[in-house]
Amino acid sequence: MSIRSEIDELMKNDGVLFDVAEKVEYKRDLTAEEKEIAEISNEWCKSIGEKGSDPDCTIAEFVNRTVQEEVYNTPDELLDRLFERGSVGEFDDTEGYSEVKNTLIAHEAAKGGTVDRSYIDLSVVKPIWKNRQVETDLSYADLRKNGFKAVATLTTFMKEACQNAMFHDVFAMIDAAIVGGEQLINVGGATPTIEAMDKLSLYLNDRSADSVIVTLNKYAQAIRRMPNFAQYLSSSMKDDFNRYGLAKTYDGIDIAGISGARKDGKGNLMISDKRIFGVSGKIGNLDMKGEIHTYQDMNNQSEKIHLMLKDFTYGIMLTNLDRAAKVVLS
């Protein structure tokens, strides 16, 4: 069987080739079967670097399948918890309604009389669409030297760049949308306080039993250092706290810590600094649009492959914003 045929067979198995690529990139142990896949993939990549030819655009196909499978088609535990997830066609649009509140008034009235009419608000909400694109070069020399690792690194980073951009956009939109009222809790200092966290937890618990707090790890760590925090911990939680040093819950609400070391290509954090977000239930819709497309141009003069990942498109629609709140540190 030719290398091309073997690669075709591997690509038919969703995620298998990328699982090996990710393990190669992050230097994780490979099974015997994965080592064999890595060897086949290594030969495939080095051959392209030696010949300067990839007529079937197999590298672009691998990148495209990976991002489609790993980002478009794979659940994301945190984002799935915050949003109704879905997808629409490339040329389609969608809309939703803001959460309907019961604003009908039961007036006191004389029997058989009439009262002022009251109404419910059915406001239409349109998504804000974001389209992301990644372009980069892969040198023939890198392919000849590093083989599959060169493609694994590039593919892993392109996937993460798309994921990180979407995650950042989601929380930037939530941050910009919360401007006052009970949803905005200001703290006159650089660390969270019991008073602020109590306000946040009360706001969330009043709305849903399925709530989550999202913040950078440094603030999750600061929460457990707050005076009197131990009163909120069960015995098993105290064991976890003593072992790992991070708070996992506050007042029964899960805490999702985001690494401050995880940044996008421009050096931006995944969520804004000096923020502790709280979300109670689902606050809207996050839809993927169409499918991504990846193209490649072989440039034998410069001995490079130009890769273009296009049409990574998603729509964010905040229909239930009153289910979100934030603590802002100064």
Side-chain angles (χ1 to χ4, degrees), residues 60-98:
E61 181 185 352
F62 173 56
V63 172
N64 202 81
R65 285 179 64 92
T66 295
V67 178
Q68 189 75 39
E69 291 166 7
E70 299 296 322
V71 183
Y72 262 54
N73 303 337
T74 302
D76 181 290
E77 185 177 353
L78 183 55
L79 292 181
D80 290 354
R81 191 167 177 177
L82 305 185
F83 293 93
E84 296 290 351
R85 301 297 301 273
S87 60
V88 298
E90 182 179 2
F91 305 107
D92 296 333
D93 206 343
T94 185
E95 65 181 23
Y97 294 93
S98 59

Side-chain angles (χ1 to χ4, degrees), residues 157-195:
F157 287 178
M158 290 177 90
K159 175 193 80 84
E160 291 177 355
C162 292
Q163 284 179 314
N164 291 347
M166 182 166 66
F167 195 89
H168 181 272
D169 283 343
V170 163
F171 280 92
M173 190 175 295
I174 295 171
D175 193 13
I178 300 174
V179 294
E182 291 180 277
Q183 294 170 274
L184 178 59
I185 303 163
N186 289 301
V187 174
T191 56
T193 63
I194 284 283
E195 292 75 20

